[in-house]
Amino acid sequence: VISQPANPSFTPVTIHLNPYSYYALDVTAQESIVETAPHNTVCNYGFKVVSDQKITCYYQLGANNSEIYTLKGRNALGTNFVVPMENYLNTGSFTPSAYSSIEIVATENNTSVIIIPSQPLLGGLPAGVPITIMLNQGQSYCIKSASLNGSAHLTNTRITSDKPIAVNSSDDSAASNSFSGYSGQDLVGEQIVPVDYAGDLFIALWNNRAFEGITISPTENNTHVYINGNPTPAATLNIGQSYTYMLNQSPTIATMITSDKPIFVFQLTGSDGECGGTVLPAIGCTGSNEVVYARPSYSTHLKLSVLCHTSDIGHFTLNNSTTALQASDFTMLPYDPTWSYAYKDFSSSIPVQTVMKLSNDQGMFHLGILDYYTGMSSSLGFFSGYNSNGTIRFMMNDKYCAHDNIEFGYQTRDIDTVHLITPSGDTLTQEPFILNDISPADTGWYCVTGHSVVGCDGTWVNDSIYIQIIIRNNEEMITKTLFPIFL
């Protein structure tokens, strides 16, 4: 079901899909309620997509000036963001002008969002001064850079909230003409992931264009970044700083990026002079066993980037074929042979307006898709699991009255075993978890912990809630607070 929770004039669209079929909702005629405009204004144009089975979903601009925003589901939702974005290509000259921008959408009512822009904003707001806005579910908000210069892009803008939000980064339109031989101007954009999914190992594949680069954003001060296994840091970054590395400096098409603290890596690539961009997934205990993609009608070229453990390269199936992507298509990463990559053109073997299915029956992988229309536009996106473990989250009240019964509510994904730890240190293992006839003595921190069935070795993930038990008619209120517990 596709809806706009904050816009009652939009009629929800209900879709019924068979396995590996697809549906495209064309909203061109409704552009005025799709784009978050005007900027610096709360709008009602956020979309919500829910399904009763797992799906792949992306938002795509059309044939000219196209881009893919891969929608990452729950992996996109969070309360702490550092916005990665390229910051070395200027924005092209148009009337009206196009700018670097960030779009935010709330998933719950009464969401408080704080934005600390890294650069001055269109409308006169300065860099570094917090902006606080309130959003209800489905409401959206956009900020734009005040300048068209690449160095003025909103890279490293920080966004925090008290409830989960989703964030896009956009660059309309990145102009490649600062590099000799190029003249394209194209939209670059992505739905980003929260700081929880930053990482310390990335691989970027080069598409043979001089303007291709990666922009690295740290999440902590004094972060050392290394390129291709060199023990000398290529950069040491503090929060708010970034480092750009041009991919054509690498001796192979693969560049390995590592760090001693979590970072984000944004890759700019493209075809002809047209650009596409994406947030690279951290490599490690992340990825997917199966990815599907619907190739659009205007696509003239389709290239796949596949990253996986070297031990898994002979176990791929592409559209039921075990020979379309073979072990011989892969190259071991010279800086770390436990990883391998394949970069292959499937323009003629996968028809347009069909669904492509790539799977691996042994391990997880990452799939990057470069889809372009010759001379017109380029789109880049990674269709991968960005999280390394299953998730568990409390979904319940945090205040109860004495003599109530509490049944603990929580939401899980990819979890096979759940335990509840009480303030006294007792561990309950039998679901459902219920406390009867509670008293103020039961006040305290409760932790729900679950064993993940995804990731390299399966780990325990957890969430915590402070529950207060009060005598009736006591009006003292307390809000839910989360804090990390390490088990």
Side-chain angles (χ1 to χ4, degrees):
V1 179
I2 304 172
S3 64
Q4 280 191 317
N7 180 15
S9 67
F10 182 85
T11 302
V13 178
T14 299
I15 304 155
H16 298 279
L17 290 172
N18 292 319
Y20 308 112
S21 62
Y22 80 98
Y23 173 87
L25 176 65
D26 189 343
V27 293
T28 306
Q30 298 168 290
E31 180 180 329
S32 63
I33 63 167
V34 174
E35 297 183 354
T36 300
H39 57 280
N40 301 337
T41 303
V42 174
C43 300
N44 296 327
Y45 305 147
F47 281 93
K48 180 180 181 181
V49 183
V50 296
S51 61
D52 57 4
Q53 300 292 335
K54 291 183 178 181
I55 60 171
T56 293
C57 185
Y58 61 87
Y59 174 73
Q60 184 170 41
L61 276 293
N64 189 19
N65 208 33
S66 74
E67 180 60 301
I68 289 175
Y69 291 71
T70 57
L71 304 183
K72 300 172 179 63
R74 298 187 187 280
N75 290 347
L77 304 183
T79 59
N80 184 13
F81 293 83
V82 172
V83 179
M85 188 183 296
E86 71 87 12
N87 58 1
Y88 60 93
L89 290 187
N90 295 337
T91 298
S93 298
F94 294 95
T95 302
S97 295
Y99 295 92
S100 161
S101 66
I102 296 170
E103 297 82 37
I104 302 165
V105 63
T107 66
E108 298 181 22
N109 290 335
N110 301 314
T111 299
S112 176
V113 181
I114 300 175
I115 307 166
I116 304 178
S118 61
Q119 299 289 340
L121 301 182
L122 196 66
L125 298 173
V129 177
I131 303 164
T132 300
I133 58 174
M134 292 294 297
L135 300 176
N136 288 326
Q137 184 186 90
Q139 289 189 315
S140 54
Y141 192 87
C142 172
I143 60 172
K144 293 187 176 184
S145 171
S147 170
L148 301 181
N149 293 331
S151 60
H153 286 174
L154 298 174
T155 309
N156 287 332
T157 290
R158 300 187 69 86
I159 303 170
T160 57
S161 61
D162 62 350
K163 297 176 183 177
I165 59 174
V167 180
N168 291 345
S169 70
S170 298
D171 184 9
D172 188 10
S173 289
S176 61
N177 56 12
S178 58
F179 289 78
S180 177
Y182 297 98
S183 60
Q185 302 178 45
D186 201 4
L187 172 66
V188 174
E190 176 71 306
Q191 184 182 59
I192 67 173
V193 292
V195 168
D196 294 345
Y197 300 139
D200 58 8
L201 172 60
F202 301 82
I203 298 173
L205 301 186
W206 184 39
N207 190 44
N208 196 30
R209 294 295 179 267
F211 58 81
E212 292 183 68
I214 52 175
T215 299
I216 298 168
S217 298
T219 62
E220 300 179 22
N221 288 329
N222 198 33
T223 298
H224 300 293
V225 177
Y226 305 89
I227 302 294
N228 293 338
N230 190 329
T232 301
T236 299
L237 303 174
N238 291 324
I239 291 175
Q241 297 178 323
S242 63
Y243 171 67
T244 294
Y245 179 85
M246 303 310 294
L247 293 179
N248 56 358
Q249 298 175 21
S250 178
T252 70
I253 71 168
T255 296
M256 184 176 75
I257 308 100
T258 58
S259 62
D260 61 351
K261 296 176 182 177
I263 60 174
F264 286 111
V265 179
F266 190 94
Q267 181 179 356
L268 184 78
T269 186
S271 61
D272 305 321
E274 307 296 325
C275 301
T278 192
V279 178
L280 294 181
I283 306 299
C285 300
T286 59
S288 304
N289 296 108
E290 181 176 273
V291 175
V292 295
Y293 173 70
R295 188 178 179 188
S297 60
Y298 61 79
S299 170
T300 58
H301 290 80
L302 178 66
K303 295 182 178 180
L304 304 186
S305 301
V306 184
L307 310 171
C308 68
H309 286 280
T310 300
S311 58
D312 299 333
I313 61 177
H315 296 267
F316 281 95
T317 301
L318 179 62
N319 287 355
N320 300 318
S321 169
T322 57
T323 59
L325 187 65
Q326 304 180 66
S328 58
D329 293 315
F330 285 83
T331 301
M332 283 193 301
L333 191 68
Y335 329 105
D336 185 350
T338 62
W339 296 98
S340 290
Y341 64 89
Y343 184 65
K344 191 170 183 179
D345 193 325
F346 286 91
S347 305
S348 59
S349 56
I350 298 177
V352 299
Q353 294 185 289
T354 62
V355 173
M356 176 199 78
K357 179 181 71 170
L358 181 66
S359 58
N360 189 299
D361 62 7
Q362 179 166 303
M364 294 187 293
F365 63 92
H366 294 279
L367 174 64
I369 294 177
L370 177 62
D371 205 333
Y372 62 93
Y373 181 14
T374 303
M376 293 293 288
S377 62
S378 179
S379 300
L380 177 67
F382 259 86
F383 290 77
S384 300
Y386 282 67
N387 64 311
S388 59
N389 299 303
T391 58
I392 190 165
R393 181 186 177 198
F394 273 116
M395 303 289 288
M396 59 185 296
N397 295 326
D398 58 6
K399 182 181 178 185
Y400 295 86
C401 290
H403 306 296
D404 282 349
N405 297 329
I406 301 179
E407 181 171 355
F408 287 82
Y410 43 86
Q411 186 178 70
T412 66
R413 183 168 62 90
D414 295 325
I415 297 293
D416 63 356
T417 303
V418 179
H419 295 166
L420 179 73
I421 303 173
T422 69
S424 63
D426 294 333
T427 299
L428 309 182
T429 61
Q430 185 64 48
E431 298 179 90
F433 302 123
I434 300 174
L435 294 183
N436 295 310
D437 193 23
I438 57 177
S439 72
D442 294 308
T443 294
W445 286 101
Y446 290 79
C447 174
V448 62
T449 178
H451 183 258
S452 171
V453 296
V454 298
C456 293
D457 53 6
T459 57
W460 287 87
V461 295
N462 39 88
D463 190 17
S464 301
I465 186 173
Y466 186 88
I467 294 179
Q468 187 181 30
I469 315 303
I470 63 173
I471 304 299
R472 294 186 190 276
N473 300 322
N474 185 340
E475 297 300 327
E476 179 185 359
M477 298 295 292
I478 185 168
T479 57
K480 175 182 175 182
T481 304
L482 300 180
F483 80 123
I485 289 182
F486 300 94
L487 299 178

